[in-house]
Amino acid sequence: NEMDDLLKFLVKTLVEQEDAVEVEKQEDDKTITFRVKVASSDLGKVIGKNGRTATSIRTIMRSVASKTHKKVFVKFED
């Protein structure tokens, strides 16, 4: 899926341990939820100062998903 690939690409460009990146997708009629798992040492890089990086990633994903007419949530975990 292109959304999955885009999210993986964005996260992998930010982290040191690219192999640890996992993206899990749950979808229903109205929402798409992505759970992004990264190495504990990389979580801060993905979230960014004051959550700015995470907010930017969420904004990009919402823009891409607008054509699906579903709400998109991106959750970051280590």
Side-chain angles (χ1 to χ4, degrees):
N1 185 324
E2 65 185 33
M3 285 177 55
D4 302 39
D5 293 341
L6 174 63
L7 184 55
K8 277 184 193 170
F9 171 77
L10 291 171
V11 172
K12 284 185 175 187
T13 59
L14 297 169
V15 299
E16 296 287 324
Q17 297 180 45
E18 292 183 21
D19 295 343
V21 174
E22 291 179 32
V23 175
E24 195 177 294
K25 178 176 156 185
Q26 295 174 316
E27 189 170 356
D28 61 31
D29 294 342
K30 295 181 182 175
T31 63
I32 302 170
T33 302
F34 290 101
R35 293 189 187 283
V36 180
K37 293 183 182 175
V38 298
S40 296
S41 59
D42 285 328
L43 191 58
K45 292 177 185 127
V46 175
I47 293 172
K49 189 174 276 191
N50 295 325
R52 287 190 185 121
T53 306
T55 300
S56 298
I57 291 171
R58 290 182 178 114
T59 301
I60 292 168
M61 296 307 293
R62 282 191 198 110
S63 297
V64 172
S66 63
K67 62 186 174 191
T68 67
H69 305 291
K70 293 185 180 188
K71 286 190 176 187
V72 173
F73 299 96
V74 180
K75 299 179 180 179
F76 297 98
E77 305 171 349
D78 61 0

